[in-house]
């Protein structure tokens, strides 16, 4: 006969994760999908920005893009070309790297709101519609709200290591407000 204190004890199960719902979301497939979305959307936007800034990929450069902005009713067309080019390029590269993802996504959202306003909502489908810009806007907002996933520079930044919805929502709101301000100065 054995004493109660000598009976074998069952090994303890591993302690559950502090927030199991987050662990379930961060799967390799989820992170790979976010990486793919960041790469495609970010490189697309960076290429658009380089068209405006440098005239690459058949773009108008600052001068040609500035004329377009002036014709579209924006004051100081060349300055707007530089602003849009830098926003698209830096926002796009930020998405590619997963660096300051909420702000990078918000920069793209703000730029594309202005693009949608310039094209007008007369049609949805291409070539005169807004489907392309709307899709890019939704993708950028989704990245700002969900975070960049595991394969991102943000994982090295303590404040952004674990993504918070509040960061993304605040950043997207900032992008929308700044886009609205630019639209208000447009003729």
């Amino acid at each position: 006969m054995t004493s109660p204190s000598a009976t074998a004890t069952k090994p303890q199960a591993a302690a559950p994760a502090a927030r199991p719902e987050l662990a379930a979301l961060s799967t390799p497939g989820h992170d790979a999908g976010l990486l793919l979305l960041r790469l495609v959307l970010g490189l697309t936007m960076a290429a658009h920005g380089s068209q405006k800034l440098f005239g690459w990929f058949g773009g108008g450069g600052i001068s040609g893009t500035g004329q377009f902005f002036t014709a579209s009713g924006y004051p100081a067309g060349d300055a707007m070309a530089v602003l849009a080019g830098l926003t698209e390029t830096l926002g796009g590269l930020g998405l590619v790297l997963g660096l300051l993802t909420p702000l990078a996504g918000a920069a793209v959202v703000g730029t594309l709101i202005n693009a949608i306003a310039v094209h007008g909502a007369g049609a949805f489908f291409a070539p005169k519609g807004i489907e392309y810009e709307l899709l890019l806007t939704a993708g950028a907002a989704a990245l700002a709200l969900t975070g960049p996933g595991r394969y991102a520079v943000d994982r090295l930044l303590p404040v952004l290591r674990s993504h918070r919805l509040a960061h993304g929502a605040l950043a997207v709101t900032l992008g929308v407000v700044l886009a609205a301000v630019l639209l208000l100065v447009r003729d």
Side-chain angles (χ1 to χ4, degrees):
M1 186 154 180
T2 59
S3 70
S5 63
T7 59
T9 58
K10 293 181 182 175
Q12 294 290 328
R19 295 188 62 188
E21 69 276 5
L22 291 181
L25 286 177
S26 189
T27 65
H30 178 260
D31 294 323
L34 288 172
L35 176 62
L36 177 63
L37 178 59
R38 285 190 0 248
L39 290 174
V40 172
L41 198 148
L43 289 173
T44 299
M45 292 309 301
H48 276 285
S50 67
Q51 286 180 308
K52 290 172 179 62
L53 292 174
F54 311 115
W56 295 351
F57 310 113
I62 292 173
S63 174
T65 305
Q67 291 172 6
F68 169 79
F69 275 108
T70 301
S72 297
Y74 289 93
D78 285 353
M80 290 300 300
V82 170
L83 178 64
L86 285 173
T87 303
E88 290 176 1
T89 302
L90 296 177
L93 292 176
L95 289 177
V96 167
L97 296 172
L99 176 63
L100 303 174
T101 305
L103 291 176
V108 171
V109 166
T111 300
L112 288 166
I113 287 172
N114 274 270
I116 290 169
V118 168
H119 280 116
F124 181 75
F125 295 106
K128 295 186 184 229
I130 61 168
E131 65 178 322
Y132 174 69
E133 291 86 357
L134 187 61
L135 182 61
L136 292 174
T137 305
L143 286 169
L145 294 171
T146 61
R150 243 183 254 183
Y151 312 123
V153 175
D154 281 353
R155 299 268 300 171
L156 305 174
L157 304 174
V159 71
L160 294 173
R161 186 170 293 136
S162 66
H163 183 78
R164 291 177 179 82
L165 176 61
H167 292 154
L170 184 61
V172 170
T173 301
L174 177 65
V176 170
V177 167
L178 291 175
V181 168
L182 282 177
L183 288 172
L184 288 175
V185 300
R186 186 174 163 229
D187 291 336

